């Protein structure tokens, strides 16, 4: 029989601080109570000695009357010693009992006050933690880097920590912005030499003196150049889709699906793939061009990675689901894929299968762009292997608020 291990609850910092406050207060209270008892006992001894002990060189005769009986001499001293012992015992008991009771009451109040004070002291740290969690929970790391703590308060260690955290996040934010600008600028600048290369190759191929070898070489160079142009376009689109969509307009994904299916029907016919379309109303808001690129990449991916025996198909569905979202689902026939390989498909420049040659039609950015566009619109993309081979990819986007 296997006995499950129960999780060990770790005390929070607030609880530990409260326990430390309470323990220190109880130790101080017990020390004060003990010192008070010693001083009280010393004062009581001095009182009895000064009252009943005769001064040097003098004789003190004690005569007492108790319950009608007169006591003197040794009997009177014994009676006074007995009274002193009883008085000392009552006073000591009263001091210890009432002092301990008062210490317990005040100690409980001190622990409660320590709990409140610890919470107030740790409030700035909670603010730092909440900001860090929002940054970590952002769909993309660079999206949450716009968050700042902006802690107000005295210039103490906690504020210094918050300001240092803000400085670190700001530098990371600038770094990601610079990286996006570099990708966009570099991709834009690379378009010009690629266009020039294509023009020169076409010019050389169409010369009257061009030999068949030159034309064959030109076809290969044009194919390589076209792939590089697709790569640059993909990088530009990826850099654009990584930005937050501020200017949104109403978009019905059913219209987008109908347009994309009609546009890619010729590619599907050439690949001997049958297209199925179920375009139900799926209203959302965002950038229409980016959403069209999202659906187009999914459909293009389904056509490209399919079976080549004429029995392949791609099914495109748009619908509204009950949790306030709309979806585009693209499923297709194709080779079987293990589930652990699916997350890798959404990484840039990753392709499933053996298509890694320089003349391949895919730039390896299709699903990466799909994921970036979905995240930019506040949505998500998930995928799973289809039973029998192929893939099912679902892009979920939020519905517009009423």
């Amino acid at each position: 029989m296997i006995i499950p291990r129960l999780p060990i609850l770790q005390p929070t910092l607030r609880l530990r601080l409260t326990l430390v406050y309470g323990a220190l207060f109880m130790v101080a209270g017990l020390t004060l109570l003990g010192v008070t008892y010693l001083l009280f006992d010393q004062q009581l001894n001095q009182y009895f000695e000064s009252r009943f002990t005769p001064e040097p060189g003098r004789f003190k005769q004690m005569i007492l009357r108790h319950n009608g009986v007169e006591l003197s001499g040794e009997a009177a001293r014994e009676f006074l010693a007995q009274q002193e012992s009883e008085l000392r015992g009552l006073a000591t008991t009263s001091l210890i009992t009432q002092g301990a009771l008062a210490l317990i009451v005040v100690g409980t109040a001190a622990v409660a006050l320590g709990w409140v004070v610890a919470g107030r002291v740790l409030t700035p740290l909670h603010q730092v933690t909440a900001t860090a969690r929002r940054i970590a929970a952002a769909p993309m790391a660079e999206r949450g880097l716009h968050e700042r703590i902006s802690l107000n308060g005295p210039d103490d260690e906690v504020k210094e920590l918050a300001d240092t955290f803000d400085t670190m996040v700001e530098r990371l934010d600038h770094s990601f912005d610079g990286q996006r600008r570099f990708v966009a600028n570099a991709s834009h600048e690379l378009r010009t030499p690629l266009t020039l290369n294509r023009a020169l190759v076409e010019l050389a191929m169409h010369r009257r003196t061009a030999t068949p070898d030159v034309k064959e070489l030109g076809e290969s160079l044009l194919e390589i150049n076209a792939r590089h142009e697709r790569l640059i376009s993909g990088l530009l689109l990826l850099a654009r889709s990584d930005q937050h969509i501020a200017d949104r307009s109403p978009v019905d994904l059913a219209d987008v699906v109908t347009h994309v299916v009609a546009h890619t029907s010729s590619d599907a016919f050439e690949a001997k793939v049958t297209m199925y379309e179920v375009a139900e109303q799926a209203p959302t808001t965002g950038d229409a061009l980016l959403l069209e690129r999202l659906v187009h990449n999914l459909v293009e991916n389904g056509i490209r990675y399919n079976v080549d025996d004429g029995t392949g198909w791609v099914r495109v569905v748009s619908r509204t689901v009950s949790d306030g979202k709309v979806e585009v689902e693209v499923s297709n026939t194709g080779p079987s894929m293990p589930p652990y390989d699916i997350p890798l498909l959404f990484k840039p420049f990753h392709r499933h299968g053996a298509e890694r040659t320089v003349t391949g039609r895919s730039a390896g950015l299709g699903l990466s762009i799909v994921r970036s566009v979905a995240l930019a619109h506040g949505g998500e993309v998930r995928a799973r292997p289809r039973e029998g081979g192929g893939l099912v990819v679902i892009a979920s986007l939020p519905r517009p608020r009423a």
Side-chain angles (χ1 to χ4, degrees):
M1 180 178 179
I2 300 177
I3 301 177
R5 296 180 60 184
L6 297 176
I8 300 177
L9 298 178
Q10 298 292 337
T12 62
L13 179 59
R14 185 178 185 181
L15 178 59
R16 295 200 298 269
L17 288 177
T18 303
L19 293 178
V20 170
Y21 295 156
L24 291 177
F25 183 86
M26 294 300 294
V27 170
L30 291 173
T31 303
L32 180 61
L33 186 61
V35 172
T36 303
Y37 170 75
L38 294 177
L39 294 176
F40 173 77
D41 185 70
Q42 182 181 2
Q43 189 68 23
L44 195 62
N45 290 333
Q46 292 178 357
Y47 170 75
F48 283 114
E49 290 178 359
S50 62
R51 185 172 182 181
F52 302 114
T53 302
E55 298 179 2
R58 294 189 178 184
F59 176 77
K60 183 178 288 187
Q61 179 68 29
M62 290 184 292
I63 300 175
L64 302 175
R65 186 178 295 277
H66 178 66
N67 294 333
V69 179
E70 186 175 297
L71 301 175
S72 61
E74 190 64 29
R77 287 189 175 86
E78 292 180 359
F79 177 77
L80 289 176
Q82 183 181 0
Q83 293 295 318
E84 178 185 353
S85 177
E86 293 178 358
L87 179 60
R88 185 188 300 275
L90 291 174
T92 302
T93 302
S94 177
L95 176 64
I96 295 177
T97 303
Q98 296 181 3
L101 182 61
L103 180 60
I104 293 174
V105 173
V106 178
T108 304
V111 170
L113 183 61
W115 176 265
V116 175
V117 171
R120 293 291 298 274
V121 171
L122 294 176
T123 298
L125 293 180
H126 293 325
Q127 187 175 347
V128 175
T129 304
T131 304
R133 284 177 176 172
R134 286 196 300 270
I135 294 176
M140 298 185 72
E142 59 269 26
R143 297 290 168 76
L145 294 178
H146 301 294
E147 293 275 354
R148 297 293 184 273
I149 300 173
S150 301
L151 185 65
N152 296 322
D155 292 332
D156 52 10
E157 289 83 356
V158 178
K159 190 174 187 305
E160 183 180 0
L161 171 64
D163 293 342
T164 304
F165 184 85
D166 284 344
T167 303
M168 178 190 68
V169 173
E170 185 176 2
R171 294 185 63 181
L172 289 174
D173 191 16
H174 291 333
S175 176
F176 276 106
D177 285 341
Q179 182 181 9
R180 284 193 295 268
R181 287 194 300 269
F182 172 77
V183 172
N185 294 333
S187 301
H188 183 74
E189 292 297 328
L190 286 174
R191 277 185 166 183
T192 301
L194 288 176
T195 304
L196 182 60
N197 288 341
R198 176 159 48 85
L200 293 176
V201 171
E202 290 177 349
L203 180 62
M205 291 175 59
H206 292 86
R207 284 181 177 178
R208 294 180 179 180
T209 58
T211 62
D213 292 338
V214 171
K215 292 182 178 180
E216 183 179 357
L217 177 61
E219 291 291 340
S220 300
L221 291 177
L222 285 178
E223 190 174 355
I224 295 174
N225 199 85
R227 181 183 181 277
H228 289 165
E229 288 178 350
R230 288 194 297 270
L231 176 61
I232 297 305
S233 299
L235 288 174
L236 278 172
L237 184 59
L238 187 61
R240 180 187 172 193
S241 62
D242 276 343
Q243 300 174 4
H244 181 68
I245 306 300
D247 187 12
R248 293 172 175 261
S249 58
V251 180
D252 193 343
L253 293 180
D255 299 334
V256 177
V257 167
T258 301
H259 174 74
V260 170
V261 170
H263 185 69
T264 56
S265 59
S266 59
D267 295 336
F269 179 77
E270 292 179 3
K272 299 180 181 181
V273 173
T274 305
M275 297 287 293
Y276 297 98
E277 174 190 345
V278 182
E280 300 179 0
Q281 286 188 349
T284 185
T285 59
D287 189 311
L289 293 178
L290 288 179
L291 293 177
E292 179 185 345
R293 174 55 59 181
L294 181 148
V295 179
H296 186 276
N297 282 8
L298 289 177
V299 175
E300 187 181 41
N301 201 70
I303 295 174
R304 179 175 296 137
Y305 298 101
N306 215 306
V307 295
D308 55 0
D309 56 0
T311 62
W313 52 264
V314 175
R315 186 170 182 265
V316 189
V317 180
S318 64
R319 57 174 175 259
T320 301
V321 293
S322 59
D323 58 350
K325 293 184 177 181
V326 295
E327 290 182 348
V328 173
E329 178 182 314
V330 178
S331 55
N332 67 302
T333 54
S336 299
M337 182 178 303
Y340 53 80
D341 257 356
I342 290 181
L344 299 177
L345 298 179
F346 294 93
K347 294 184 178 297
F349 306 108
H350 179 86
R351 304 182 191 88
H352 180 68
E355 188 191 353
R356 296 183 180 273
T357 60
V358 72
T359 59
R361 295 184 59 189
S362 172
L365 294 173
L367 291 182
S368 301
I369 294 175
V370 169
R371 179 176 178 269
S372 296
V373 172
L375 293 178
H377 287 78
E380 62 178 359
V381 178
R382 59 186 185 275
R384 69 176 186 273
R386 194 186 71 85
E387 186 177 356
L391 198 64
V392 179
V393 184
I394 301 176
S396 299
L397 300 173
R399 293 183 62 185
R401 296 181 179 179

